[in-house]
Amino acid sequence: MKRRDFLGITAAGIPLLLAAKANSQPAPAATSLRVKTPVVVSTWDSGITANIAAWPILSKGGHALDAVEAAGRASEDEPSCCVGLAAWPDRDGKVTLDSCIMDGNGDCGAVSFLERIKHPVSVARKVMETTPHVLLSGEGAQAFAIANGFPLEDGKLSPDAEKEWKKWLEKSKYQPIVNVENRKPAMAIASPYFFDDGSPNHDTMGTIAMDAKGGLSGMVTTSGMAFKIRGRVGDSPIIGAGLFVDNEAGAATSSGVGEEVIRICGTHTVVEQMRMGRSPEQACREAVGRVVKRNPSKAKEMQVGFVALSKTGEIGAFSIVKGFTFSVTNSEFPKGKVFLAKSWF
Ligand code: ASP
């Protein structure tokens, strides 16, 4: 990626940003990206796969909710470390999946700690559309899925997941690892939250979209932190943490250390900031700043990133440490384009 392609990284912007960091001044001027709508935005460069599944629906005038569900299903079908049944397990060797979906009118559904079901995002949508509830978890979520025709898969680890889990067991370091992507050696930070080897991996998939009518929707799907304690649930299925959507303000999704995102009601914070008039990038920066402020020295060792889409079709993102990317697909970028978010450190 060329330097000029990085969102908001301009010769004029860098001194402003540095000054803001040094003096804890308010966020620098908005550098969010204004795009043509309909548009779909996903976390990470692997989000291109999700966007490619969503775009045919959006480009034909379809509903953003259908588009984001298609995005989630495409990610769940991909072999990857961090989404779907082929992903890395918890520390007991079981893959447990979290997902949520939300429409701009406030309708939402979610599943957490779901095992042996291939498409958690579609189960989340069923919860939203056919029950009075928002979140089903564990055995109950699985029983609900089966009752609604979702096949029960065999529960075996993928060969890659089995290899990684065994490798991890050898170290006997019972520390959960955030499945952060783009972890090139150059960005290496010694931290229990990152993979050690810098190998390119896939991450939690968060997708937000605006359809041709201006309606917003979003979804998140993930296996959560690799080698987590059994039963752990992160931000991804929590409405207002991993995802929040409101047609009157905007949509936001997150990736990174879910516990930190939950503590600050991350995406709700981002959307509320946009409602108060902040640009998507400023709104994401505000949420990141709240995580950093809680514990600045710990924050340097972890990643939390937010990406947001305002009701006026502006996109912005911000992360704690460098490396958080997001993918945008619309009529200007029909094959998708990857942007690097600005970061606090
Ligand atoms: N946010 C996810 C979780 O905490 C993990 C990730 O995005 O890497 O489960």
Side-chain angles (χ1 to χ4, degrees), residues 23 54 71 107 110 125 148 161 168 183 229 266 283 320:
N23 307 323
D107 287 347
R125 185 166 177 177
N148 280 281
W168 180 81
R183 179 108 183 106
I229 292 175
I320 298 184

Side-chain angles (χ1 to χ4, degrees), residues 146-214:
I146 294 166
N148 280 281
F150 292 86
L152 186 65
E153 308 293 336
D154 64 18
K156 283 197 195 129
L157 291 182
S158 66
D160 281 352
E162 178 138 19
K163 204 172 83 197
E164 289 301 321
W165 178 54
K166 289 194 170 145
K167 205 161 82 187
W168 180 81
L169 279 178
E170 274 167 29
K171 286 192 189 171
S172 290
K173 264 202 316 192
Y174 281 100
Q175 289 169 312
I177 299 177
V178 71
N179 36 37
V180 164
E181 187 173 47
N182 296 328
R183 179 108 183 106
K184 307 276 172 357
M187 305 175 191
I189 296 170
S191 163
Y193 296 109
F194 292 108
F195 289 121
D196 297 336
D197 62 4
S199 57
N201 283 305
H202 193 279
D203 202 337
T204 289
M205 188 53 51
T207 300
I208 47 183
M210 181 183 281
D211 60 31
K213 290 186 180 141

Side-chain angles (χ1 to χ4, degrees), residues 137-342:
S137 193
E139 271 178 33
Q142 190 190 69
F144 172 81
I146 294 166
N148 280 281
F150 292 86
L152 186 65
E153 308 293 336
D154 64 18
K156 283 197 195 129
L157 291 182
S158 66
D160 281 352
E162 178 138 19
K163 204 172 83 197
E164 289 301 321
W165 178 54
K166 289 194 170 145
K167 205 161 82 187
W168 180 81
L169 279 178
E170 274 167 29
K171 286 192 189 171
S172 290
K173 264 202 316 192
Y174 281 100
Q175 289 169 312
I177 299 177
V178 71
N179 36 37
V180 164
E181 187 173 47
N182 296 328
R183 179 108 183 106
K184 307 276 172 357
M187 305 175 191
I189 296 170
S191 163
Y193 296 109
F194 292 108
F195 289 121
D196 297 336
D197 62 4
S199 57
N201 283 305
H202 193 279
D203 202 337
T204 289
M205 188 53 51
T207 300
I208 47 183
M210 181 183 281
D211 60 31
K213 290 186 180 141
L216 292 162
S217 297
M219 76 88 210
V220 184
T221 184
T222 188
S223 55
M225 270 189 190
F227 319 129
K228 61 199 173 186
I229 292 175
R230 185 154 175 77
R232 179 264 186 190
V233 172
D235 59 323
S236 303
I238 310 290
I239 298 296
L243 176 72
F244 197 69
V245 185
D246 183 340
N247 278 342
E248 291 183 4
T253 188
S254 64
S255 190
V257 181
E259 285 75 2
E260 297 300 327
V261 178
I262 292 171
R263 285 184 180 112
I264 62 146
C265 295
T267 54
H268 183 260
T269 295
V270 173
V271 171
E272 292 311 302
Q273 292 289 318
M274 290 194 286
R275 196 190 308 277
M276 291 190 300
R278 286 197 155 176
S279 74
E281 185 186 290
Q282 287 173 325
C284 292
R285 188 183 189 281
E286 170 66 27
V288 164
R290 291 186 194 186
V291 176
V292 173
K293 196 174 160 198
R294 260 181 35 83
N295 194 337
S297 55
K298 187 175 155 208
K300 281 187 192 154
E301 296 175 8
M302 67 171 77
Q303 180 63 298
V304 168
F306 295 98
V307 59
L309 170 61
S310 75
K311 68 170 183 182
T312 57
E314 256 184 286
I315 300 165
F318 212 89
S319 62
I320 298 184
V321 292
K322 194 176 167 192
F324 178 55
T325 55
F326 59 96
S327 306
V328 178
T329 301
N330 67 354
S331 58
E332 296 152 291
F333 312 121
K335 291 193 177 143
K337 188 171 169 75
V338 178
F339 296 86
L340 177 69
K342 280 189 192 170

